[in-house]
Amino acid sequence: MNICSDRVLQIPRSGIREIFDLIPEFKDVVNLCIGEPDFTTPSFIIKKAFEAAQSGATHYTANAGFLELREQISEKYKEEQGIHYAPDEEIIITMGAMEALFLSLMTIINPGEEVILPDPFWPNYEAQILIAGGKPVFVPTKEEEGWVLTAERIMPYLTSKTKAIIINSPSNPTGCAYSLHQLEQIARVAKDKNLIVISDECYEKIIYEGKHRSIASLEGMQPRTIVINSFSKTYAMTGWRIGYALGSKDIIKQMAKLQEDVASCASSVSQKAAIVALKEGNDSVEKMLQRYKVRRDLILEEIEKTPEISCLPPRGAFYIFLNIKKLNQSSRDVALKWLKEARVATVPGSSFGKEGEGYLRVSFSVSEDKIKEAFERIRGIL
Ligand SMILES: Cc1ncc(COP(=O)(O)O)c(C=O)c1O
């Protein structure tokens, strides 16, 4: 008998880890694997959260989180997306988007039910679907189609067991962001086939063209969408582990029940920090966005100067999905070569699914100097 469960053993090891684990073996690596803001949380958020802790915000909260925070999130979605979520029934605060996603999948997926995932995908989706007993169904997306999931691409993969579609706009790893028309297509499929949409909107504020639109705001979609969101990327608060989910009251009620058995609640201090972030964080968000824009333009210039590689300019998030097909080597081999010979760390595209082969994920959540240094080194070995 194996001491570990089949459930845990079936989960694939993240391909991102292989490169990460190798980095310490090399000196002076420019690390472009980073999946989080390189900024520190704005200091006023840290200060006020610390004060809240000193004033006694150190206890368990309701399973669904502080009502004040849920009320603010409700206002935010009303203002930005024109949709109303009842703070006491349709919103739950979680330990990051990661837990929001976990509770969502555990709540809606029965064993054997299928979840549509656009490939390339963020690997945690696959793992979490498997943990929930579901079956991930990978639908190819293509660089020449902007890496977006289309109705035509989804249709052949639908079966009587399809329960949900996960979309992630803006996307990790491809940087794609869905247009209104593209969201409408997904919404049509979801309504026709009676599917739930899990909409991961973690990068909603890191967007370079236009504004983020939630699929939940489209006609008839709110009751069948679970919105996943987070403070991690928007406010540079990854370590605080604070996120949330919005959905119908039937779903959120079950997620809050499950929360009791998983974590009881999200950290009270982090919830206080999130309240400050929502109330006073807009300027900081804008400043960080401006920095990401500068870095995005710079990395696009550097890629332009390097004829062996190319990319589709990202519409959001802080990743380039770099096309390395001209190098005629697997993405793993190229990532290892660049790490060993140029001391530049990137993530092999194959870590994000079959469609990621031929690409590397390159994060530009690093200083401008590091971006320049990395591309000089890469050109030096090409
Ligand atoms: C697409 C996507 N969703 C969710 C998360 C998890 O975010 P959180 O820190 O809120 O758990 C990440 C983190 O990298 C992500 O890239």
Side-chain angles (χ1 to χ4, degrees), residues 35 96-98 122 125 168 172 200 202-203 230 232-233 241:
M98 200 87 82
W122 182 56
Y125 296 137
N168 173 214
N172 173 11
D200 180 342
C202 283
Y203 293 93
S230 172
S232 286
K233 318 286 171 170
R241 310 306 306 124

Side-chain angles (χ1 to χ4, degrees), residues 60-76:
Y60 293 127
T61 72
N63 296 138
F66 284 128
L67 186 60
E68 184 187 357
L69 179 53
R70 285 180 275 150
E71 282 168 350
Q72 281 187 356
I73 291 167
S74 173
E75 263 173 47
K76 166 188 151 64

Side-chain angles (χ1 to χ4, degrees), residues 364-377:
F364 53 92
S365 178
V366 293
S367 70
E368 287 88 312
D369 284 351
K370 283 190 181 161
I371 293 173
K372 282 189 200 149
E373 172 72 25
F375 279 84
E376 263 166 39
R377 290 188 194 180

Side-chain angles (χ1 to χ4, degrees), residues 8-296:
V8 77
L9 291 175
Q10 71 173 330
I11 301 167
R13 185 169 182 267
S14 168
I16 301 177
R17 285 254 68 92
E18 184 187 3
I19 298 288
F20 250 97
D21 294 349
L22 278 175
I23 293 174
E25 290 182 20
F26 300 89
K27 264 204 179 136
D28 182 31
V29 170
V30 181
N31 186 353
L32 305 182
C33 294
I34 295 168
E36 62 174 325
D38 61 329
F39 305 113
T40 304
T41 305
S43 56
F44 68 91
I45 298 178
I46 300 174
K47 184 166 174 280
K48 293 208 172 159
F50 184 59
E51 284 166 9
Q54 283 183 318
S55 310
T58 55
H59 299 274
Y60 293 127
T61 72
N63 296 138
F66 284 128
L67 186 60
E68 184 187 357
L69 179 53
R70 285 180 275 150
E71 282 168 350
Q72 281 187 356
I73 291 167
S74 173
E75 263 173 47
K76 166 188 151 64
Y77 269 79
K78 178 98 211 138
E79 222 171 81
E80 295 178 359
Q81 302 291 342
I83 37 180
H84 174 70
Y85 286 96
D88 54 342
E89 289 184 317
E90 295 176 319
I91 301 178
I92 179 171
I93 313 300
T94 55
M95 296 184 297
M98 200 87 82
E99 197 212 4
L101 187 68
F102 178 75
L103 297 179
S104 307
L105 289 164
M106 292 299 278
T107 296
I108 63 167
I109 300 300
N110 285 308
E113 285 179 340
E114 296 173 1
V115 181
I116 299 280
L117 266 186
D119 179 355
F121 54 88
W122 182 56
N124 300 56
Y125 296 137
E126 178 187 17
Q128 292 208 3
I129 294 166
L130 291 171
I131 295 168
K135 181 177 166 207
V137 175
F138 306 108
V139 177
T141 63
K142 301 285 175 190
E143 185 179 15
E144 52 278 19
E145 293 171 11
W147 295 116
V148 161
L149 194 60
T150 60
E152 296 82 70
R153 290 221 171 257
I154 295 176
M155 293 314 273
Y157 292 87
L158 296 176
T159 73
S160 59
K161 290 191 176 160
T162 312
K163 184 73 169 273
I165 303 175
I166 296 185
I167 58 166
N168 173 214
S169 176
S171 150
N172 173 11
T174 66
C176 83
Y178 286 64
S179 68
L180 177 59
H181 174 67
Q182 289 160 339
L183 290 176
E184 280 168 350
Q185 279 198 38
I186 308 282
R188 187 162 40 80
V189 175
K191 285 188 278 188
D192 285 355
K193 305 290 175 189
N194 195 22
L195 306 176
I196 295 170
V197 173
I198 297 182
S199 175
D200 180 342
E201 306 183 0
C202 283
Y203 293 93
E204 60 161 351
K205 295 292 178 190
I206 306 174
I207 194 153
Y208 307 109
E209 293 162 36
K211 281 219 165 354
H212 167 73
R213 179 82 186 257
S214 173
I215 195 167
S217 69
L218 304 190
E219 205 196 328
M221 285 305 291
Q222 192 176 348
R224 62 172 68 254
T225 303
I226 306 177
V227 172
I228 306 288
N229 211 331
S230 172
F231 290 82
S232 286
K233 318 286 171 170
T234 302
Y235 300 98
M237 286 177 65
T238 45
W240 297 77
R241 310 306 306 124
I242 191 87
Y244 54 93
L246 314 173
S248 70
K249 71 175 189 213
D250 293 340
I251 288 178
I252 298 297
K253 188 174 168 192
Q254 297 304 323
M255 286 172 66
K257 185 177 79 180
L258 196 55
Q259 175 72 298
E260 170 66 25
D261 302 308
V262 173
S264 184
C265 60
S267 146
S268 55
V269 181
S270 299
Q271 291 189 55
K272 289 290 180 187
I275 291 171
V276 180
L278 275 179
K279 273 192 190 152
E280 300 170 36
N282 285 353
D283 288 352
S284 307
V285 174
E286 186 52 37
K287 276 188 198 137
M288 287 189 271
L289 178 63
Q290 291 315 321
R291 289 293 300 280
Y292 290 130
K293 274 190 178 154
V294 168
R295 293 161 175 194
R296 171 187 179 262

